[in-house]
Amino acid sequence: INKPARLTDEEYAIIKTHPGKGVEIVLPFPALHGAIPGIRGHHERWDGKGYPDRKKEKEIPLQARIIAVCDTFDAMTEDRPYRKALTSDEAVRELLKFSGTQFDPELVPPFIYALARKGEINITLYEEEIAKLAELINRDLSNWLKNK
């Protein structure tokens, strides 16, 4: 996408077809069929507001949820014609901000720790936010178990 301005509704509708196009590309290659759930679902959102199937939470294949975090971080940290790249720290703050709405809240912390292991960020800046996220995940799990 090299357009320097915001996409029109029509252009965005075309962009939203790319998960399906990706599936079409790998279909002739049986060795790649295992990647289809990740390719198709990498723009689904944890809250169900994504595309193409509006799946939510654990309905979204795990590989798609992982790709979503990685792909979004990559997109945020690369220059685009319409904006400058975010720093790794700015992108991490965005991942944390949208954890539980756009992203699987269980996958964001391991991704952040992986960045820290690579030396891209200082994990101590995020430990408090990660702890809050872990507390929320555990509370949600406890409530779910009580209701079963």
Side-chain angles (χ1 to χ4, degrees), residues 5-116:
R6 188 170 185 85
L7 297 176
T8 66
D9 290 344
E10 295 81 19
E11 290 167 331
Y12 186 58
I14 292 168
I15 292 295
K16 288 171 50 175
T17 67
H18 89 266
K21 300 260 189 231
V23 170
E24 290 173 18
I25 291 168
V26 302
L27 275 176
F29 307 98
L32 299 178
H33 286 187
I36 289 174
I39 294 167
R40 181 164 180 83
H42 74 281
H43 281 287
E44 298 292 355
R45 290 175 45 118
W46 188 251
D47 61 9
K49 295 179 181 175
Y51 62 88
D53 302 313
R54 300 189 60 86
K55 290 183 177 180
K56 67 178 184 172
E57 298 177 357
K58 304 283 178 148
E59 294 172 357
I60 305 166
L62 176 60
Q63 63 181 198
R65 289 181 273 141
I66 293 168
I67 292 169
V69 173
C70 298
D71 183 52
T72 302
F73 181 83
D74 181 62
M76 288 189 291
T77 56
E78 294 288 327
D79 283 333
R80 302 291 190 194
Y82 51 90
R83 63 148 176 82
K84 295 295 275 173
L86 299 181
T87 66
S88 291
D89 284 311
E90 290 168 329
V92 164
R93 283 193 283 281
E94 289 295 300
L95 292 175
L96 287 165
K97 179 179 175 181
F98 292 101
S99 183
T101 55
Q102 185 172 350
F103 308 110
D104 180 339
E106 293 180 32
L107 296 179
V108 171
F111 182 80
I112 294 170
Y113 280 110
L115 291 174

